[in-house]
Amino acid sequence: MQKPTRIAPSILSADFAKLGEEVRAIDDAGADYIHVDVMDGHFVPNITIGPDVVKALRPHSKKIFDVHLMITPTGPYIEAFVDAGADIITAHIESGPHAHRTIQAIKAAGVKAGISLNPSTPESTIDYLYEELDLILVMSVNPGFGGQSFISSQLRKLEAIRKRIDSLGLDIDLQVDGGVNTVTAPQVVSAGADLLVAGSATFKGGPSKYAENIMALRG
Ligand code: DX5
Ligand code: ZN
């Protein structure tokens, strides 16, 4: 069942020179999850942060650390992110041939497991994973950078996945990431998403605006 809309600000759009402060600010402003984008310059054409940064940020918030891995391979790094304080680890279905094994490894490490789909990846690729999942992340931009435009074909994918989650009667967060703003947020929510990642739309205007920005996205 679709839950009330929750917002996961992506710290990719934060001021990297003061990340701890930024995490505290979005926590105070009402963020539900803290979304951490991990990129390796290989699976995606950008390099961001690793487990040491997650560990350094951990004391700054008690909220759920939602770690989105855009790396390949994923397996060798799961434990490091769990030790660093991740609460949910999401891997990409495209990051290797053994998604089921990756999900099992994430859960065996003691945290919640998510799977993410790039815009061109059909929802059928995750059909045999639903029972294992805590979160499904539909990318509504090509992963790699913040501030890109929402790809509207992903609304159909959200609808299909929402139907599947509900027909199986499972408790899975349906997350969407990329180009979520006050125009696209209502669209993704009506397509079935209940966990919205927002980078630029959260951080625009600086810390004094974060609460207002998050509230506007929640609708
Ligand atoms: C893109 C990342 C996103 C990104 C979203 O690869 O996974 O989390 O930061 O940024 P906005 O909300 O600006 O599109
Ligand atoms: Zn992300």
Side-chain angles (χ1 to χ4, degrees):
M1 245 197 16
Q2 186 166 354
K3 294 171 206 137
T5 305
R6 288 149 302 150
I7 307 298
S10 160
I11 60 168
L12 191 59
S13 296
D15 182 344
F16 270 30
K18 39 182 176 184
L19 269 185
E21 236 173 273
E22 291 277 65
V23 165
R24 288 203 304 277
I26 51 171
D27 180 325
D28 288 346
D32 295 291
Y33 291 13
I34 311 292
H35 186 82
V36 182
D37 286 308
V38 176
M39 306 187 187
D40 65 353
H42 172 63
F43 180 68
V44 288
N46 194 6
I47 301 177
T48 56
I49 68 182
D52 289 345
V53 176
V54 174
K55 190 177 224 151
L57 292 175
R58 190 62 273 196
H60 292 271
S61 172
K62 290 198 167 63
K63 303 250 162 105
I64 293 167
F65 270 34
D66 158 34
V67 175
H68 176 196
L69 297 183
M70 287 160 274
I71 65 174
T72 182
T74 302
Y77 301 99
I78 291 169
E79 214 155 294
F81 283 102
V82 173
D83 291 345
D87 298 296
I88 304 173
I89 295 183
T90 298
H92 266 264
I93 186 82
E94 307 87 358
S95 67
H98 298 293
H100 192 281
R101 176 181 289 150
T102 303
I103 297 301
Q104 282 180 322
I106 294 171
K107 293 173 80 173
V111 299
K112 292 191 168 181
I115 200 81
S116 178
L117 297 87
N118 281 333
S120 63
T121 302
E123 61 274 15
S124 59
T125 55
I126 61 165
D127 216 29
Y128 296 94
L129 290 176
Y130 279 85
E131 285 83 353
E132 314 295 331
L133 293 170
D134 300 295
L135 180 151
I136 297 171
L137 166 52
V138 171
M139 288 306 301
S140 42
V141 297
N142 287 297
F145 304 96
Q148 305 181 75
S149 305
F150 184 80
I151 300 170
S152 56
S153 57
Q154 302 309 302
L155 292 170
R156 281 191 277 133
K157 194 186 289 179
L158 286 168
E159 281 165 12
I161 295 175
R162 164 56 55 204
K163 264 197 199 131
R164 193 92 176 99
I165 292 172
D166 291 352
S167 75
L168 292 167
L170 295 168
D171 177 17
I172 300 176
D173 285 342
L174 182 50
Q175 187 175 51
V176 60
D177 183 2
V180 174
N181 54 37
T182 49
V183 174
T184 54
Q187 300 172 5
V188 298
V189 170
S190 59
D194 54 12
L195 182 55
L196 279 48
V197 176
S200 21
T202 299
F203 286 92
K204 68 166 191 231
S208 64
K209 296 276 183 221
Y210 296 168
E212 198 180 303
N213 291 344
I214 289 172
M215 209 149 33
L217 290 166
R218 203 175 265 125

